[in-house]
Amino acid sequence: MKSTATRSLRVRILSVLTMVAVLFAGVSTPLLADDTLVFGTLPITKPTKLLQRYKGLVQYYEEVLGQPVRFEIGKDYQDAIQKFQSGHYDFGLLGPSPYVMATETSSLGKDNFKLIGTLETGGKPYYNAVVIAAIDDTDIQSLQDLEGKTFAFGSRLSTLSCYLPADMLIQAGVLDKLASYDFIGKHDAVANAVALGRFDAGGIKEGVYKKFEDRIRIVEKSQPVWDFLILAHKDMPEDLFERIKTATLDLKDPAILDKVKPNCSGFVATEDANYDNLRAIMKRVDDRLGAPEL
């Protein structure tokens, strides 16, 4: 009888241990799911194009970090900025003026973020905007010739399709002398609208001009500002942040970098002060156009 009781006790103990193991196994999946990092970015072009552009970069982070990374695109500039501010995006690629906007509309300011690196193209961590006109419009040879003309900006929060072109017009004394202006979205839309004659001129990034150079021409180029940057939310653990920063600054694979941006040579260490000249530009523009709402 004692032997039977002992066997029965062993069976009950094994059953309890099995149930405990099953319960712990049941919670392991959500714990692993929580390990996923979210890499966010701006909707600067079509989602399919952005996926192609950043797929290699996201996969690189997954391989180096040894954990899943989910790629997300903001519904619009405001949505993306808010998701960077809230920490919904653990890290990601943000444009210069949206970054400045994110620091200035957060109660924590620049301390809400940890900066990882600025995009470098051809060995330079900055880029330019260009004011364009249709290739056959010979009446526009300088910014002063835009008086009485129509002008197309891209997104109101865009560095290269709004802030820099608008500041160029302010400095040239013609912003208030335009016949009209409008914000029509993405850089490609601006280039196409100018090429088709729907607007006399517009502001875009130089890289987009090269796609349309058989239909549009450059009237004037802006001063340079520091390029897109990769940043993390302040709550990211320091050890993870340092691993991401090291992986970013060590990235030299042209197969990945050329997708992110043609002729991209990598990322360089950056700091908030690099964007102070842009802050001055944005203040001049916001004083004239009114500050955009988030």
Side-chain angles (χ1 to χ4, degrees):
M1 293 293 293
K2 184 176 180 180
S3 176
T4 301
T6 302
R7 285 197 299 270
S8 179
L9 178 61
R10 288 175 177 169
V11 168
R12 287 198 297 274
I13 291 173
L14 287 172
S15 296
V16 171
L17 291 174
T18 300
M19 289 177 64
V20 170
V22 169
L23 287 172
F24 274 101
V27 298
S28 65
T29 299
L31 286 175
L32 288 174
D34 288 344
D35 199 35
T36 299
L37 296 170
V38 180
F39 182 96
T41 195
L42 299 163
I44 58 175
T45 188
K46 294 178 181 178
T48 52
K49 290 184 178 180
L50 288 175
L51 182 60
Q52 293 173 354
R53 184 178 298 180
Y54 300 132
K55 181 179 179 181
L57 180 62
V58 172
Q59 290 177 339
Y60 169 74
Y61 283 124
E62 285 190 321
E63 293 169 5
V64 172
L65 301 175
Q67 64 189 96
V69 179
R70 185 172 72 249
F71 177 58
E72 287 192 11
I73 305 167
K75 292 182 294 184
D76 50 36
Y77 273 52
Q78 291 90 339
D79 179 63
I81 289 171
Q82 289 166 0
K83 286 177 176 174
F84 275 106
Q85 290 174 320
S86 69
H88 175 82
Y89 294 155
D90 296 292
F91 70 126
L93 193 64
L94 189 58
S97 61
Y99 165 68
V100 171
M101 182 72 65
T103 64
E104 295 187 350
T105 58
S106 167
S107 60
L108 295 173
K110 64 182 182 181
D111 293 333
N112 200 33
F113 306 103
K114 298 179 177 181
L115 304 191
I116 294 171
T118 292
L119 194 65
E120 185 182 63
T121 307
K124 299 177 181 179
Y126 44 81
Y127 60 0
N128 307 79
V130 291
V131 169
I132 57 164
I135 199 166
D136 57 354
D137 187 347
T138 58
D139 290 338
I140 301 174
Q141 298 297 326
S142 69
L143 295 182
Q144 284 71 25
D145 293 333
L146 294 177
E147 183 176 345
K149 305 292 187 180
T150 58
F151 196 92
F153 295 105
S155 166
R156 175 63 182 85
L157 297 178
S158 171
T159 309
L160 300 186
S161 67
C162 177
Y163 278 110
L164 288 183
D167 193 55
M168 293 166 71
L169 299 182
I170 291 170
Q171 299 298 329
V174 296
L175 180 65
D176 297 330
K177 298 177 181 178
L178 295 173
S180 65
Y181 60 83
D182 199 1
F183 302 95
I184 65 173
K186 297 178 175 60
H187 293 255
D188 285 12
V190 173
N192 195 51
V194 172
L196 292 174
R198 292 202 290 264
F199 291 87
D200 296 308
I204 58 174
K205 61 183 177 181
E206 194 170 7
V208 170
Y209 155 73
K210 294 176 181 177
K211 294 164 53 179
F212 292 82
E213 60 184 342
D214 60 330
R215 302 165 60 200
I216 59 176
R217 58 187 176 80
I218 294 176
V219 177
E220 192 164 316
K221 184 185 293 189
S222 76
Q223 64 173 287
V225 294
W226 278 63
D227 209 327
F228 271 60
L229 68 162
I230 290 185
L231 70 165
H233 189 261
K234 67 176 180 60
D235 291 338
M236 176 176 282
E238 192 63 25
D239 60 335
L240 177 58
F241 169 75
E242 290 298 336
R243 289 167 60 207
I244 292 176
K245 184 174 182 178
T246 298
T248 302
L249 300 182
D250 286 349
L251 177 57
K252 301 300 178 185
D253 185 350
I256 296 174
L257 294 172
D258 282 346
K259 287 285 187 180
V260 173
K261 185 179 180 181
N263 300 317
C264 177
S265 49
F267 292 87
V268 295
T270 194
E271 58 183 17
D272 179 79
N274 291 334
Y275 297 88
D276 283 348
N277 72 320
L278 178 60
R279 286 186 169 92
I281 290 170
M282 292 175 67
K283 185 179 187 309
R284 284 195 294 269
V285 173
D286 289 345
D287 285 347
R288 298 291 282 274
L289 298 182
E293 295 182 4
L294 288 183

